[in-house]
């Protein structure tokens, strides 16, 4: 048995002559593929070529997973396309070399296997996935505005067939071990206890590399255009090429250039030159780092809740409770009577059923964690208490007086209020420093952001614990100061009102919405107002701007009881949860700029007033709290330099 030990790689040969190659990137919790790591991998191949093994198994030395992908920190610092191309060329050649070695190769995949990590494993002859929930495979490059350039666009279609490959590459979706086996991404899916044996047997089996079926091979050859046309049709629905060139480039590079970006002429829209110059990739990488920054905000405390008590089983409280149960917490849910709690429990059961795709055992475990508690007996045990009752100060006062008397002394007391001042709510508490805002957005399951609100009296340790709790729920915490609308609603309000003013001036709702969807918003502002509820939009509008500025179109509808989606009509007529859009949008030119102006101005005001700590956090909050077009890198980033507007 011989050994080779480099900084990031270790090689050990066993009695059967198999080289067990372990990647264990130094000074890092996860394995990422930076230049140094890949240069060392070339040295590993050099050493093995000098004395070929009977087989080679690549595995991870990290508990966190296999390989998380490229080292984005390193690559985001490269500021010219020549530098990017040099890396693509080097790694393309390296993985080609791996594919061509004289001995059988196998990737033993346990935990995450993303981007460059999956491309590396695709260059191996075999892949074994360990059947655990943490095992996930994806090519998520498209989400960063780039293409899988190290062989993924060539090898994934060749391995799983082009339709499944396009689906993975164009969405960045993650595939678990069982599904990976089903689609042919891995040769075997095995439990952890037999993984090494399975790898050993397969790598020495002499079994040929998996080949596509004849039909799949045609679709990946002479009939490529069929898959490409279908894929393009899907992409057009989701992303405009001028804002998101990467998915189009993936299809083109696969269809016309055999998956090799280096063969794409510099003038072609799929070229690395074009993608680099266009700018979206840099902005999406920025958004990725902003997300990392929000995640890190949860690390200020090692607080971990076991039991959450939620009061108010309405729209918000019911969904917050369900989300907490889904995340493994014990949840007691209180309201004024069992009949008010029952609908929330029913909704939770439906949500769990969808989430676990009918896995009854998982659904039952989650349901067991969610306990109806009309008497509020959970208050005394809870680590976190979240109030989500009517937006009424007197009601909240009565509740918090009682809570403070019964809660554990170190339990976090939180309110989900949208518009009341934390200082006012906390005025009845003996220790108002315990109170913090944990402001979820509707719909809870879909919105990644949660504002964590610091009142004048909130204790710093409580504030840090609340952020750690939000991370425990796998949401992104945004620390904000207690002020009307916090950040997200303060920014959305003026934008929605401006959109309604456009309707006052004669634009159709369809036109206004189309302008913003073209810009890259997930939903137009008028449809969003209808979804939130026009009564709520009116109350927020009044609170933020004063009565005089409320648009006529809004006042008239609220007066007529047309409150939007929930009442069946607002700006749109709502049928089966969808807005009926009749008019074809007319000329939308200039509308987006007009609507964005108040949004950007409000974001700047929030930064200036210290409601959010800096411009980057504000951009992060607006992107993750409203879905603001990610290709821009955020409103302040996008409009930097237009301060005077
Ligand atoms: P909701 O009206 O749907 O639900 C409130 C629930 O609280 C009702 O089921 C009611 O029976 C219960 N309740 C009232 N007083 C109670 C008491 N003393 N003890 C126990 N239960 C009591 O209200 P929604 O929309 O869920 O809002 C709740 C809170 O969340 C409010 O503070 C609101 O500002 C905030 N919020 C609402 C959002 C929304 O989109 N609806 C978004 C973010 C925050």
């Amino acid at each position: 048995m011989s050994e080779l030990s480099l900084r990031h790689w270790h090689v050990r040969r066993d009695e059967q002559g198999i080289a067990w190659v372990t990647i264990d990137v130094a000074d890092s919790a996860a394995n990422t593929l930076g230049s140094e790591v890949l240069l060392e991998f070339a040295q590993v191949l050099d050493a093995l070529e000098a004395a070929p093994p009977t087989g080679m198994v690549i595995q991870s030395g990290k508990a966190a997973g296999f390989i998380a992908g490229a080292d984005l920190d390193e690559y985001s610092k490269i500021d010219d396309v020549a530098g990017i191309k040099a890396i693509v060329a080097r790694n393309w050649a390296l993985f080609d070399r791996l594919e061509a070695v004289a001995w059988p190769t196998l990737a033993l995949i346990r935990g995450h296997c993303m981007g460059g990590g999956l491309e590396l494993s695709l260059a191996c002859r075999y892949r074994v996935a360990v059947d655990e929930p943490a095992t996930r495979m994806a090519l998520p490059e498209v989400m960063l505005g780039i293409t899988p350039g190290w062989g993924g666009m060539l090898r994934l279609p060749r391995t799983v067939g082009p339709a499944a490959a396009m689906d993975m590459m164009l969405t960045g979706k993650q595939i678990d071990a069982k599904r990976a086996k089903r689609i042919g991404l891995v040769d075997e899916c095995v439990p952890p206890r037999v993984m090494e044996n399975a790898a050993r047997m397969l790598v020495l089996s002499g079994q040929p590399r998996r080949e596509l079926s004849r039909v799949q091979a045609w679709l990946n050859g002479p009939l490529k255009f069929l898959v490409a046309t279908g894929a393009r049709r899907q992409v057009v629905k989701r992303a405009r090429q001028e804002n998101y060139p990467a998915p189009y480039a993936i299809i083109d590079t696969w269809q016309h250039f055999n998956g090799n970006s280096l063969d794409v002429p510099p003038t072609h829209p799929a070229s690395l030159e074009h993608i680099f110059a266009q700018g979206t990739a840099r902005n999406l990488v920025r958004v990725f780092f902003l997300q990392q920054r929000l995640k890190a905000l949860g690390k200020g405390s090692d607080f971990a809740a076991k039991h959450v008590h939620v009061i108010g089983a309405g729209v918000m409280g019911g969904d917050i409770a369900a989300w907490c149960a889904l995340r493994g917490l014990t949840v007691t849910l209180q309201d004024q009577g069992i009949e008010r709690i029952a609908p929330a429990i029913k909704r939770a059961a439906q949500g769990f059923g969808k989430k676990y795709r009918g896995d009854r055992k998982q659904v039952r475990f989650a349901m067991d964690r969610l306990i109806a508690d009309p008497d509020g007996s959970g208050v005394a045990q809870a680590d976190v208490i979240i109030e989500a009752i009517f937006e009424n100060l007197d009601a909240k006062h009565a509740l918090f007086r009682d809570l403070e008397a019964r809660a554990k002394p170190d339990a976090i007391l939180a309110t989900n209020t949208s518009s009341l001042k934390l200082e006012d709510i906390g005025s009845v508490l003996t220790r108002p420093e315990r109170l913090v805002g944990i402001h979820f957005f509707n719909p809870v399951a879909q919105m990644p952001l949660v504002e964590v609100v610091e009142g004048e009296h909130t204790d710093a340790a409580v504030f840090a614990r609340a952020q750690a709790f939000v991370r425990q729920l796998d949401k992104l915490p945004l620390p904000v100061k207690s002020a009307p609308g916090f950040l997200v609603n303060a920014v959305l309000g003026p934008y929605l009102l401006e959109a309604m003013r456009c309707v006052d001036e004669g634009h159709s709702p369809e036109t206004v919405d189309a302008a913003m969807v073209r810009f890259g918003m997930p939903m137009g502002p008028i449809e969003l107002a209808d979804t939130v509820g026009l009564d709520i939009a009116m109350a927020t509008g009044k609170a933020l701007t004063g009565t005089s500025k409320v648009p006529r179109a809004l006042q008239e509808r609220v007066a007529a009881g047309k409150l939007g989606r929930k009442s069946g009509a607002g700006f749109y007529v709502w049928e089966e949860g969808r807005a009926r859009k009749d008019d074809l949008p007319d000329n939308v030119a200039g509308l987006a700029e007009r609507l964005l102006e108040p949004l950007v101005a409000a974001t700047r005001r929030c930064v200036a007033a210290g409601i959010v700590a800096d411009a980057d956090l504000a951009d992060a909050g607006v992107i993750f709290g409203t879905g603001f077009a990610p290709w821009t890198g955020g409103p302040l980033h996008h409009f930097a330099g237009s301060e005077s507007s």
Side-chain angles (χ1 to χ4, degrees):
M1 284 201 275
S2 60
E3 305 259 352
L4 167 71
S5 216
L6 301 169
R7 196 164 127 76
H8 308 294
W9 298 84
H10 310 284
V11 183
R12 181 182 61 83
R13 281 185 206 235
D14 67 13
E15 313 72 30
Q16 291 170 288
I18 300 173
W20 292 81
V21 176
T22 305
I23 174 169
D24 193 355
V25 173
D27 308 322
S28 168
N31 291 322
T32 54
L33 300 178
S35 295
E36 196 184 295
V37 174
L38 288 167
L39 285 175
E40 271 194 18
F41 183 58
Q43 289 174 33
V44 169
L45 294 183
D46 291 342
L48 295 178
E49 261 160 13
T54 53
M56 161 170 151
V57 176
I58 303 177
Q59 61 182 2
S60 163
K62 303 284 187 209
F66 183 64
I67 297 174
D71 178 352
L72 278 181
D73 250 335
E74 180 184 326
Y75 298 129
S76 64
K77 293 193 181 99
I78 301 172
D79 55 8
D80 63 347
V81 70
I84 303 276
K85 287 187 94 162
I87 288 176
V88 170
R90 191 192 63 206
N91 295 342
W92 181 279
L94 179 64
F95 290 176
D96 263 3
R97 181 178 170 199
L98 169 62
E99 185 172 47
V101 294
W103 57 87
T105 52
L106 181 146
L108 177 52
I109 300 166
R110 181 177 201 183
H112 56 229
C113 173
M114 304 287 164
L118 186 58
E119 291 180 297
L120 181 142
S121 77
L122 284 164
C124 292
R125 186 183 297 179
Y126 312 111
R127 282 157 300 285
V128 170
V130 178
D131 189 11
E132 284 181 334
T135 298
R136 302 260 153 192
M137 282 156 262
L139 288 180
E141 286 81 353
V142 73
M143 295 156 92
L144 298 173
I146 53 179
T147 58
W150 305 350
M153 291 186 284
L154 168 70
R155 295 193 178 94
L156 186 64
R158 218 173 57 187
T159 308
V160 302
M166 284 298 140
D167 186 36
M168 280 181 75
M169 292 193 290
L170 297 176
T171 61
K173 74 159 70 142
Q174 302 186 359
I175 304 275
D176 64 19
K178 285 204 179 70
R179 182 150 171 76
K181 168 81 173 99
R182 256 197 323 271
I183 67 171
L185 179 56
V186 299
D187 302 274
E188 283 182 27
C189 162
V190 299
R193 71 196 145 75
V194 301
M195 63 182 192
E196 270 141 18
N197 244 335
R200 188 176 290 121
M201 280 167 62
L202 183 58
V203 80
L204 296 182
S205 67
Q207 200 172 295
R209 185 188 284 275
R210 263 185 52 94
E211 299 256 331
L212 289 180
S213 69
R214 190 123 55 104
V215 175
Q216 289 293 340
W218 278 340
L219 290 171
N220 199 36
L223 301 183
K224 271 184 175 178
F225 70 94
L226 281 179
V227 177
T229 310
R232 243 176 240 116
R233 212 177 289 138
Q234 290 303 316
V235 169
V236 167
K237 281 190 213 153
R238 287 199 307 261
R240 289 163 59 78
Q241 188 164 9
E242 61 187 82
N243 298 339
Y244 292 99
Y248 296 89
I250 290 172
I251 301 170
D252 280 347
T253 309
W254 165 71
Q255 185 182 4
H256 302 299
F257 303 98
N258 213 17
N260 189 347
S261 310
L262 299 165
D263 288 347
V264 183
T267 49
H268 195 285
S271 66
L272 291 171
E273 282 81 358
H274 178 78
I275 290 178
F276 187 81
Q278 188 271 346
T280 291
R282 224 164 316 151
N283 287 341
L284 291 180
V285 171
R286 166 183 159 77
V287 174
F288 174 81
F289 283 122
L290 290 177
Q291 183 180 26
Q292 299 298 95
R293 185 168 166 207
L294 293 185
K295 285 184 177 172
L297 290 171
K299 293 191 178 142
S301 157
D302 54 9
F303 174 77
K306 289 200 181 70
H307 180 165
V308 179
H309 184 77
V310 181
I311 307 148
V315 175
M316 294 304 291
D319 286 6
I320 293 168
W323 184 260
C324 292
L326 200 65
R327 295 291 305 159
L329 290 153
T330 300
V331 186
T332 37
L333 178 58
Q334 177 185 347
D335 204 301
Q336 288 161 328
I338 191 77
E339 70 291 347
R340 300 236 177 182
I341 304 175
I345 303 268
K346 192 170 158 205
R347 212 162 65 231
Q350 286 163 348
F352 297 161
K354 254 194 226 151
K355 172 82 188 168
Y356 292 120
R357 296 208 194 103
D359 180 340
R360 286 213 212 127
K361 211 163 85 187
Q362 292 292 346
V363 174
R364 207 184 57 233
F365 287 156
M367 288 306 288
D368 284 350
R369 290 193 290 269
L370 177 59
I371 303 155
D373 181 16
D375 305 324
S377 44
V379 170
Q381 281 94 45
D383 306 306
V384 180
I385 299 174
I386 303 175
E387 169 275 312
I389 67 169
F390 299 140
E391 195 71 326
N392 174 303
L393 189 58
D394 290 339
K396 297 207 192 230
H397 275 167
L399 181 70
F400 272 104
R401 265 194 215 103
D402 170 61
L403 286 178
E404 190 178 34
R406 291 198 296 130
K408 289 199 292 192
D410 58 347
I412 294 180
L413 299 185
T415 172
N416 187 46
T417 185
S418 293
S419 58
L420 297 174
K421 286 179 72 174
L422 225 57
E423 294 74 20
D424 291 344
I425 297 176
S427 65
V428 296
L429 296 176
T430 323
R431 286 172 52 210
E433 63 273 17
R434 292 177 71 179
L435 183 68
V436 61
I438 301 186
H439 184 231
F440 290 82
F441 295 94
N442 187 11
V444 174
Q446 270 121 55
M447 297 300 292
L449 193 82
V450 174
E451 288 174 321
V452 182
V453 188
E454 182 183 23
E456 217 174 282
H457 307 292
T458 308
D459 179 72
V462 171
F463 194 48
R465 264 188 249 146
Q467 292 174 64
F469 171 66
V470 169
R471 278 308 296 143
Q472 194 184 349
L473 298 183
D474 201 24
K475 298 284 184 191
L476 301 171
L478 179 76
V480 290
K481 290 268 176 353
S482 172
F486 313 124
L487 173 76
V488 171
N489 288 341
V491 163
L492 268 183
Y495 161 70
L496 297 190
L497 293 177
E498 190 67 15
M500 294 178 208
R501 256 173 238 127
C502 290
V503 176
D504 278 356
E505 290 169 24
H507 288 291
S508 70
E510 283 87 344
T511 303
V512 177
D513 281 347
M516 295 321 296
V517 170
R518 273 174 75 97
F519 179 77
M521 301 300 196
M523 181 186 274
I526 300 288
E527 186 173 347
L528 180 61
D530 258 7
T531 307
V532 170
L534 297 187
D535 49 342
I536 293 180
M538 176 102 148
T540 318
K542 278 185 183 162
L544 289 172
T545 60
T547 329
S548 58
K549 290 190 179 164
V550 174
R552 204 178 55 244
L554 176 61
Q555 292 187 21
E556 285 168 5
R557 283 171 176 80
V558 172
K562 292 183 170 178
L563 303 182
R565 180 181 168 158
K566 62 185 164 193
S567 71
F571 283 90
Y572 294 106
V573 171
W574 287 78
E575 285 164 348
E576 290 170 14
R578 297 176 83 97
R580 204 178 69 205
K581 295 190 178 172
D582 298 328
D583 294 2
L584 277 182
D586 40 75
N587 186 6
V588 301
L591 264 181
E593 291 72 17
R594 170 177 171 183
L595 291 172
L596 287 168
E597 211 205 285
L599 183 151
V600 174
T603 313
R604 284 193 185 126
R605 278 198 301 276
C606 286
V607 178
I611 291 160
V612 59
D614 58 52
D616 278 350
L617 278 186
D619 272 351
V622 177
I623 290 172
F624 294 111
T626 73
F628 188 91
W631 67 266
T632 59
L636 297 185
H637 180 75
H638 188 62
F639 289 99
S642 61
E643 301 302 305
S644 51
S645 71

